[in-house]
Amino acid sequence: MSVRVTLVAAARTSTLLTERFDDDRPLDRAGWDEVQLAAHALVPLSAAELRYCSPTPRSRETGEALGFAPLAQPALRDCDMGRWRGFTLAEVTAREPAAVDAWLADPRSAPHGGEPLLGFISRIGGWLDTRPAQDCGSIVAVAEPAVVRAAFVYALRAHPSMYWNVDVRPLSTVTLTGVPGRWHLCLEAAA
């Protein structure tokens, strides 16, 4: 029996250019407005048998606002960015351009002292692979966009460098179906 996991990207806490690594701020006004606009399409996901979220404030708040009453999953936390935590990509690039280049080029590198991209993708894949397939029809999880990207790359068994080519917008969804180690991307027609 396979399991169906729908990942919902958390609403935003800032504009893309001001987004910070390991950002743990709550939803901003624009984020709350986005949730209200998207709620009609996302609220039906609350019928899932299991409802989870990343442990970040914006993921919890997004899930609560959609009526999911999600259970926080530590394994769904964002990538550990070590000493870069709290900084924007532009700020880190200005301070450590060679380190940023190495981090973007090699998925095994962690010049920031945190988690390498490959380790992050594997952690998220490990969470997917431990979802209960028996007696569980569907799962929904609200997570940081980076977590959704990592799950997508893991499920498709894509090269880790593809992580940088996946654009995950706030409140977008991706559904994966399968069993541990064998996942499929499920694209659904609009109703």
Side-chain angles (χ1 to χ4, degrees), residues 21-22 79-85 87 89 92 96 98-100 102-104 106-120 164:
F21 292 121
D22 284 336
C79 188
D80 176 3
M81 297 306 292
R83 71 176 177 280
W84 293 355
R85 184 178 200 279
F87 293 101
L89 179 59
V92 173
E96 302 179 51
V100 171
W103 174 64
L104 293 172
D106 181 2
R108 289 177 176 80
S109 73
H112 43 63
E115 187 174 27
L117 179 62
L118 190 57
F120 174 54
W164 306 114

Side-chain angles (χ1 to χ4, degrees), residues 2-188:
S2 69
V3 65
R4 176 185 181 87
V5 179
T6 300
L7 298 164
V8 179
R12 66 180 160 154
T13 58
S14 60
T15 65
L16 186 60
L17 292 177
T18 61
E19 197 165 300
R20 299 183 175 280
F21 292 121
D22 284 336
D23 194 352
D24 61 0
R25 292 179 291 171
L27 293 180
D28 63 8
R29 182 75 244 155
W32 282 107
D33 292 344
E34 287 173 347
V35 171
Q36 297 308 309
L37 289 172
H40 69 282
L42 298 174
V43 166
L45 294 173
S46 66
E49 284 81 0
L50 298 172
R51 297 172 303 279
Y52 300 117
C53 68
S54 293
T56 60
R58 77 175 180 170
S59 293
R60 283 193 310 271
E61 289 176 358
T62 299
E64 291 293 338
L66 294 170
F68 294 176
L71 175 65
Q73 294 282 284
L76 290 178
R77 69 189 179 283
D78 208 342
C79 188
D80 176 3
M81 297 306 292
R83 71 176 177 280
W84 293 355
R85 184 178 200 279
F87 293 101
T88 66
L89 179 59
E91 290 169 341
V92 173
T93 301
R95 290 183 177 116
E96 302 179 51
V100 171
D101 288 345
W103 174 64
L104 293 172
D106 181 2
R108 289 177 176 80
S109 73
H112 43 63
E115 187 174 27
L117 179 62
L118 190 57
F120 174 54
I121 292 168
S122 295
R123 174 169 49 85
I124 300 306
W127 181 85
L128 275 172
D129 286 345
T130 57
R131 294 311 86 207
Q134 297 176 346
D135 302 326
C136 178
S138 63
I139 295 171
V140 65
V142 179
E144 297 302 310
V147 171
V148 176
R149 271 195 305 276
F152 187 89
V153 169
Y154 179 82
L156 294 180
R157 297 181 186 182
H159 189 276
S161 64
M162 293 308 296
Y163 175 88
W164 306 114
N165 297 48
V166 179
D167 185 18
V168 178
R169 307 241 175 198
L171 300 170
S172 60
T173 64
V174 63
T175 300
L176 306 171
T177 60
V179 295
R182 230 171 99 205
W183 293 95
H184 306 278
L185 179 63
C186 180
L187 301 175
E188 299 175 304

